[in-house]
Amino acid sequence: MNRAAQRRLIAAATTLVAVATGVTACSSSGSSTTAGSDGSKSTYTVWDPYPQFDKTSNWAKLLDRCGSKAGVTIKRTAFDTTDLTNKTLLAAQQGNAPDVLIVDNPVVSTLAEAGVLTTTDENGIDTSKVQSNLLGPGRSGDKTYGIPVGANTLALYYNKRVLKDAGVDISTIQGWKSLTAALAKVKAAGKKGITFSAVGTEEGSFQFLPWYWGSGAQLTKLNSADAVSALGLWTDWLKKGYAPNSVINNTQTTSWQEFASGDYAFAENGTWQLANAKKAGFDYGVIPVPGRWGGSAPVPTGGEFVTVPVQKRTDRYGPSDKIVTCLTSAENSYDTDTTLSYVAPTDAVQAKQVAADPDLKVWVAAVKAGKGRTSDNLGTKYPKISQQLWTAVQASLSGSRSPQAALAAAQSAAK
């Protein structure tokens, strides 16, 4: 590896610290295995961020089937998201990257810029049926560096009983003004308004982005009037008691636990809470996060990409490509995305998901309107912008700075 490539990898490692501390928090470890000399009927390494699935899981069995279909044996290693990105960079420096890498979507552009990943054109991986907004995080420049497994995103869960007791008709919530009016009624009725995560990590930025984008703000100008209106909305909710002060430290998990108590009217959370919602013990519904003036706000998409890292031996790419194609095929996508609580990345499989579970209809609509955090040509700039964004949110909600001052500081630092 030449010095320029090494410098890119070192820079990438620094950049990934901010973005790799997102939604998952499990751990596992393993090692790669040397392949046979003919590049086939040998052991191929697959690294993924799903340590919650052991070797008996449907996910692990699918990997084995895809390996068999490609004529190879799969050695799978599951890592915590942070460990995965760091170990990938180290392996790339050592020339020992996995054959197939499944990685959180905001990380793709950083790995691509560091020279770690091959393109889908180089490997003949068909992305034509993937929705363009979901493919966006995998693009850097005019090239695509992987294919999404699926996507998750955010919406508003609501407690039907709490709203009914407060005299709130959910159909009247069409924008921020009507939502805030509903929260006022809920508080007057003796219940709690809305809970979310504003923690000082990528989770906090992830949860703030629907409101930020829903105001019309762009991540290239953190101190715009639209951006100030979004942070002002959250800050006013805390001041008026419509949202609890605990949101400053809430993760998406602890925020959900507050909503599951049955006292809150609303919770901003994701598709991954659907199973828990069905076990909550009260009637619930889901609506899109409203935009400032109505309609649905753009929401950030979560989820992973299946990628093929650069290898010293080009004869290894053939089986890797077959593994990727198998994992993301329409035949397997439905089962995979059901297991991961993801919305599929293609129209055909999304339709199949909704037919099987009508509750997914609002989530499919949200994903269709979503956007990647590294989209808008942000790429490797996103992690620094995100860090300044969550810092501004923390400063404003804690009362240490006004929304205007907090975002002005964020914009200055992000430059």
Side-chain angles (χ1 to χ4, degrees), residues 250-263:
N250 269 349
T251 64
Q252 292 177 112
T253 298
T254 56
S255 172
W256 179 261
Q257 291 167 349
E258 289 180 336
F259 180 67
S261 70
D263 292 330

Side-chain angles (χ1 to χ4, degrees), residues 156 176 179 194 196 206-217 226-227 229-231 233-234 237 268 289-292 297-298:
L156 293 184
W176 293 0
L179 175 57
I194 186 169
F196 48 86
F206 189 76
Q207 288 244 315
F208 185 55
L209 280 173
W211 312 94
Y212 185 90
W213 284 332
S215 73
D226 289 333
S229 72
L231 187 50
L233 178 74
W234 270 20
W237 283 351
E268 181 186 1
V289 176
R292 183 179 184 182

